[in-house]
Amino acid sequence: MKAFGALHALFASSPRYLAVSGFCVALNVVLLVALDRLGLHYTAAVIAAALVLIPTSYALHLALTYRVASGGDTFLRYAGAQLINVPAGMLLFFLLRDCVGLPMIWAAPAVTGLMFLYNLTSSFWAIAMRRPATR
């Protein structure tokens, strides 16, 4: 029964999640493309984008998506779950940029899109499954 409640909460937060994620996806793609144009290798660009996006997306998800109070334990779980994006993103960029030869303008949205489902489930697990709603 607890799993059903969690699934219901996940789907109830979906429109808000999509709005926050849309903003974060756009910010991620802009950062990756801009850093690529500045001459940064995709490994450095992925790390730089993560340093900006992890605290930004956490704050937005707390306030808008899941509407829960903050807590150091939820940030640590969230950041840990999101840090998996860094090596996964590097691997996907290696495949798309180095092996396939896609320019960053196409590779950045492709990698970001591939990471979407993981981000949805991991942010819900890290934040909403652990905190009571504030509103």
Side-chain angles (χ1 to χ4, degrees):
M1 206 44 107
K2 185 177 179 180
F4 179 73
L7 281 175
H8 181 268
L10 176 62
F11 288 117
S13 66
S14 291
R16 295 185 307 270
Y17 182 86
L18 290 174
V20 169
S21 292
F23 172 79
C24 292
V25 163
L27 179 58
N28 189 49
V29 170
V30 166
L31 284 171
L32 291 170
V33 171
L35 293 170
D36 179 69
R37 297 246 167 113
L38 290 173
L40 242 57
H41 190 267
Y42 59 78
T43 56
V46 167
I47 292 168
L51 290 174
V52 170
L53 282 161
I54 289 173
T56 301
S57 61
Y58 175 75
L60 290 172
H61 282 310
L62 282 178
L64 303 173
T65 305
Y66 303 116
R67 298 176 179 168
V68 295
S70 65
D73 59 332
T74 59
F75 179 74
L76 292 176
R77 266 194 307 276
Y78 181 79
Q82 295 309 303
L83 284 174
I84 291 171
N85 284 333
V86 174
M90 287 178 194
L91 174 63
L92 290 169
F93 276 117
F94 169 75
L95 293 172
L96 293 176
R97 299 260 305 158
D98 296 342
C99 296
V100 175
L102 280 179
M104 184 60 88
I105 195 80
W106 297 108
V111 169
T112 304
L114 290 169
M115 301 302 295
F116 177 80
L117 185 58
Y118 170 76
N119 290 327
L120 170 65
T121 56
S122 66
S123 66
F124 181 78
W125 166 81
I127 299 172
M129 293 283 296
R130 306 289 194 232
R131 309 295 271 172
T134 58
R135 295 182 224 168

